[in-house]
């Protein structure tokens, strides 16, 4: 319970650091927060053109299918990349000032979630103007987002602490995420893969999260709550493990930084 008490006591620091992360993402850029819309739109254009001819199979709404997969994936990758370096990039503060170090990985997840919420407007615009529409299943959006945030926080606790000791982890994570993109059903459907490859893809937690987003926005059907429940339990275990690993490793942060 001490972690909750400490975070509450330093809530203003958490708030200001989250604001800094959100604003710093597009600091000094002319368009500012508009890049939260432009970045996914430009990526969507590229992937729709590159993969559309091969995988669309005459589906006029393929670009929406890709969009609903791409935006949560961008949230996932950007948050991990930022979270991996959050202790190292704030090394001067960590060395000089006391505050709960957990605030740094937590603020990266919160700021990433805020940007994701903004980008979700693109999904809503596409499904509304395409005629797909929105149903009451959208009420499950916060549930899916919660599962994704818990997963991200667990990963960030571990990655941010390890990077202090192993700086090469930054590059390893980047390469891993690049490969993981193709192991996630973003531009293709699982049904298009051979059975043995589907089994491998089902080991990827983002497969279930992206499928859940697609269920509520694209297919307008109830997501598999059993899969989400199991993933939430696994993410919670990862979060607890990551927190205690972070607490143990943070004792040497000042010396390593």
């Amino acid at each position: 319970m001490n972690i909750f008490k400490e975070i509450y006591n330093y809530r203003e620091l958490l708030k200001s650091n989250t604001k800094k992360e959100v604003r710093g993402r597009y600091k000094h850029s002319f368009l500012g927060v508009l890049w939260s819309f432009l970045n996914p739109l430009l990526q969507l254009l590229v992937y729709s053109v590159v993969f559309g001819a091969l995988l669309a199979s005459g589906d006029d709404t393929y670009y929406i299918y890709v969009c609903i997969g791409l935006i949560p994936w961008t949230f996932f990758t950007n948050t991990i990349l930022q979270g991996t370096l959050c202790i190292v990039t704030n090394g001067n503060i960590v060395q000089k000032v006391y505050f709960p170090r957990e605030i740094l990985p937590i603020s990266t997840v919160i700021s990433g979630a805020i940007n994701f919420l903004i980008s979700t407007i693109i999904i809503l615009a596409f499904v509304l103007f395409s005629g797909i529409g929105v149903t009451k299943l959208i009420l499950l959006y916060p549930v899916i987002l919660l599962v994704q945030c818990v997963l991200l926080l667990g990963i960030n606790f571990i990655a941010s602490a390890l990077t202090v000791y192993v700086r090469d982890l930054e590059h390893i994570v980047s390469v891993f995420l690049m490969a993981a993109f193709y192991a996630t059903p973003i531009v293709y459907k699982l049904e298009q893969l051979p059975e043995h490859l589907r089994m491998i893809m089902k080991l990827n937690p983002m497969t279930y999260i992206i499928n859940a987003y697609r269920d509520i926005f694209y297919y307008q059907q109830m997501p598999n709550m059993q899969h989400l429940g199991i993933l939430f339990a696994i993410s919670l275990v990862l979060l607890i493990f990551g927190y205690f690993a972070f607490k143990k490793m943070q004792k040497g942060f000042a010396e390593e930084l």
Side-chain angles (χ1 to χ4, degrees):
M1 296 300 294
N2 286 337
I3 176 62
F4 297 108
K5 185 178 180 181
E6 279 202 310
I7 290 175
Y8 179 78
N9 291 337
Y10 285 85
R11 61 191 180 278
E12 289 302 321
L13 177 61
L14 176 61
K15 183 179 177 181
S16 63
N17 202 65
T18 301
K19 283 183 179 178
K20 183 188 78 172
E21 292 282 350
V22 173
R23 293 170 180 168
R25 191 179 296 259
Y26 304 115
K27 189 178 181 181
H28 303 308
S29 67
F30 179 72
L31 295 176
V33 75
L34 285 177
W35 283 110
S36 293
F37 298 101
L38 291 177
N39 269 336
L41 284 173
L42 291 172
Q43 290 182 63
L44 175 62
L45 176 63
V46 171
Y47 289 124
S48 294
V49 170
V50 173
F51 294 101
L54 297 173
L55 303 173
S57 301
D59 185 358
D60 293 336
T61 59
Y62 175 74
Y63 68 97
I64 302 177
Y65 180 89
V66 174
C67 177
I68 298 173
L70 187 60
I71 289 178
W73 176 257
T74 302
F75 166 39
F76 181 75
T77 54
N78 287 347
T79 302
I80 289 179
L81 289 172
Q82 280 191 300
T84 298
L85 291 172
C86 68
I87 304 297
V88 174
T89 53
N90 289 281
N92 289 335
I93 301 174
V94 171
Q95 287 178 310
K96 296 175 183 177
V97 181
Y98 171 77
F99 63 94
R101 309 311 189 206
E102 297 87 347
I103 281 179
L104 296 175
I106 290 172
S107 63
T108 59
V109 174
I110 295 175
S111 64
I114 291 171
N115 277 286
F116 175 56
L117 287 169
I118 295 171
S119 299
T120 302
I121 295 172
I122 298 173
I123 297 175
L124 291 172
F126 279 152
V127 297
L128 286 172
F129 288 108
S130 68
I132 293 176
V134 174
T135 69
K136 62 182 179 181
L137 289 171
I138 198 174
L139 295 175
L140 291 174
Y141 174 84
V143 176
I144 305 168
L145 177 58
L146 174 63
V147 175
Q148 189 172 4
C149 286
V150 172
L151 174 65
L152 281 168
L153 193 52
I155 294 171
N156 275 1
F157 272 139
I158 297 169
S160 62
L162 283 175
T163 303
V164 175
Y165 298 93
V166 185
R167 300 300 172 90
D168 289 343
L169 187 63
E170 170 194 355
H171 307 291
I172 295 170
V173 168
S174 296
V175 173
F176 174 79
L177 289 172
M178 192 184 306
F181 173 86
Y182 296 99
T184 309
I186 298 170
V187 297
Y188 59 83
K189 299 179 181 180
L190 282 177
E191 295 75 22
Q192 295 173 306
L193 299 176
E195 183 62 31
H196 67 282
L197 286 180
R198 288 186 217 173
M199 296 305 295
I200 296 173
M201 301 305 175
K202 288 178 181 179
L203 297 175
N204 180 356
M206 282 303 293
T207 295
Y208 301 99
I209 290 173
I210 287 176
N211 282 346
Y213 284 122
R214 284 204 178 110
D215 282 337
I216 64 171
F217 286 116
Y218 189 75
Y219 295 113
Q220 295 188 345
Q221 64 186 19
M222 191 73 175
N224 192 317
M225 299 307 290
Q226 182 181 5
H227 288 168
L228 276 180
I230 293 171
L231 179 57
F232 179 71
I234 293 171
S235 300
L236 202 55
V237 171
L238 179 65
L239 174 58
I240 294 169
F241 171 80
Y243 168 71
F244 283 108
F246 183 92
K247 290 291 286 184
K248 186 171 184 179
M249 285 188 279
Q250 76 169 346
K251 296 174 184 177
F253 283 177
E255 291 79 4
E256 293 293 329
L257 292 169

